[in-house]
Amino acid sequence: MMIASSIATVLLLSVSLFALPIIIVADSDQDQTAPARSKTYVLVHGPGSGSWNWYKIKYMLQQAGFTVYTPDLTSHGIMDNRTADTVFTLVDYAQPLLNCVASAPEKVILVAHNTAGTPCTLAMETYPEKIEKAVFLSAVMPISGTVINDYLKAPFQQLVDENAMHQIFAQGTFYETTSIQMNATAMREYYFGQSSLEDYIMASSLLCATPYRCFDDPVYLTPERYGSIDRFYIKTGQDKIVPPVFQDIIINKNPPKQVFVLKNSDHASFFSETDLLFTLLKNIPLL
């Protein structure tokens, strides 16, 4: 795999109560920048996924001299005996991530994809002294007291209505949803629309159910802990899982330090825009 010599070019808009620094990511001839010293990244997967979805980015970051951890959230790991229907709380769901951050020998840069935004936010509040920066990749970025469903209920319901996602009722249909399962066939259009066929085939064979009840657990945040960490947001312009309009809602409710835009990325930018995402993440320590 060749590591492209691409770098984010920057277009800064005026900062006000109604505008954020918007950073357009594009190719250039040569990457002249690199962090002064090695950093540690913790890459956290979204729903139906696992640590495997970071394999390209992990390889590229490691080849560039970084340390990279890719924990599986509870019930997602290949060696995890738990099922999604048995995970009831956010703390339970996030525990592998919390353990990873707590045991890291130095400060880490968190990268959250989709629903992993809430477990990562919990980690920021729990271990602010262990986290240098946080990056939200088409991810939930909650404010204090909110839950994932406050942000993703509408797009999730649309996916269910269009048969791209199924609700699972392990205790019977008269009870609450216990987990959600992506339709592997539909995911070619919805999740991996700009990704290669090879990556889609690999991913579709690995998709798993995701706990749902833990999404109703609120996370409570403080300015002194969570608020002390710089946040960055990466928008995915061709995303059909969390469409750009919903990403804008997330951003406007809780503005980060900077917003990046991968205009041609589907939801799986680690596959569809691998080189640009790698270069962007590599340069986050400089911002």
Side-chain angles (χ1 to χ4, degrees):
M1 179 188 304
M2 293 185 63
I3 299 177
S5 59
S6 58
I7 184 174
T9 59
V10 179
L11 173 63
L12 294 181
L13 302 183
S14 60
V15 181
S16 69
L17 292 176
F18 305 98
L20 283 167
I22 306 297
I23 300 175
I24 308 300
V25 179
D27 287 331
S28 68
D29 292 334
Q30 188 174 7
D31 183 358
Q32 299 287 353
T33 59
R37 63 183 182 86
S38 178
K39 297 288 184 178
T40 298
Y41 289 77
V42 177
L43 313 178
V44 191
H45 65 83
S49 190
S51 59
W52 53 265
N53 70 9
W54 297 109
Y55 81 96
K56 290 184 178 182
I57 298 295
K58 181 177 183 178
Y59 169 79
M60 296 169 83
L61 287 171
Q62 287 179 331
Q63 288 298 106
F66 300 102
T67 300
V68 184
Y69 300 109
T70 54
D72 285 303
L73 298 174
T74 302
S75 80
H76 289 264
I78 294 174
M79 303 301 293
D80 193 339
N81 293 324
R82 297 282 298 276
T83 65
D85 298 309
T86 66
V87 181
F88 303 148
T89 68
L90 178 60
V91 171
D92 190 6
Y93 187 50
Q95 198 60 59
L97 168 62
L98 298 176
N99 293 343
C100 178
V101 172
S103 61
E106 64 176 0
K107 281 191 170 186
V108 306
I109 297 172
L110 278 183
V111 182
H113 186 231
N114 196 308
T115 52
T118 296
C120 284
T121 297
L122 176 63
M124 293 165 70
E125 178 66 20
T126 307
Y127 298 112
E129 72 283 358
K130 301 286 291 190
I131 300 169
E132 182 176 344
K133 300 175 190 290
V135 181
F136 294 78
L137 174 61
S138 59
V140 176
M141 193 166 53
I143 58 176
S144 185
T146 61
V147 302
I148 292 178
N149 276 333
D150 290 337
Y151 301 88
L152 296 184
K153 184 175 182 179
F156 272 20
Q157 187 58 52
Q158 182 175 346
L159 291 171
V160 170
D161 293 343
E162 296 176 0
N163 199 35
M165 183 181 291
H166 306 298
Q167 294 171 288
I168 298 174
F169 303 89
Q171 297 174 324
T173 54
F174 291 103
Y175 296 89
E176 295 180 352
T177 303
T178 52
S179 63
I180 53 177
Q181 177 73 57
M182 296 181 181
N183 180 335
T185 302
M187 286 302 100
R188 177 55 176 159
E189 173 186 354
Y190 285 87
Y191 204 122
F192 307 103
Q194 307 297 318
S195 301
S196 71
L197 179 59
E198 292 85 353
D199 283 326
Y200 160 68
I201 291 173
M202 184 270 296
S204 64
S205 69
L206 294 172
L207 291 173
C208 64
T210 299
Y212 188 79
R213 281 181 286 189
C214 62
F215 290 177
D216 286 326
D217 273 4
V219 57
Y220 295 100
L221 309 170
T222 61
E224 297 79 13
R225 299 178 70 81
Y226 163 82
S228 67
I229 302 168
D230 284 342
R231 291 175 289 113
F232 303 86
Y233 200 94
I234 303 176
K235 287 184 60 178
T236 43
Q238 304 298 318
D239 199 324
K240 293 186 178 180
I241 296 291
V242 186
V245 63
F246 290 104
Q247 296 179 54
D248 287 337
I249 292 172
I250 292 168
I251 291 166
N252 290 335
K253 283 187 175 181
N254 190 14
K257 181 178 180 179
Q258 291 177 328
V259 177
F260 302 86
V261 182
L262 293 173
K263 296 193 297 181
N264 298 317
S265 176
D266 58 21
H267 192 59
S269 54
F270 33 80
F271 293 153
S272 62
E273 289 285 9
T274 310
D275 291 339
L276 289 180
L277 180 60
F278 158 69
T279 301
L280 185 54
L281 293 179
K282 182 184 68 171
N283 286 285
I284 284 290
L286 301 172
L287 302 178

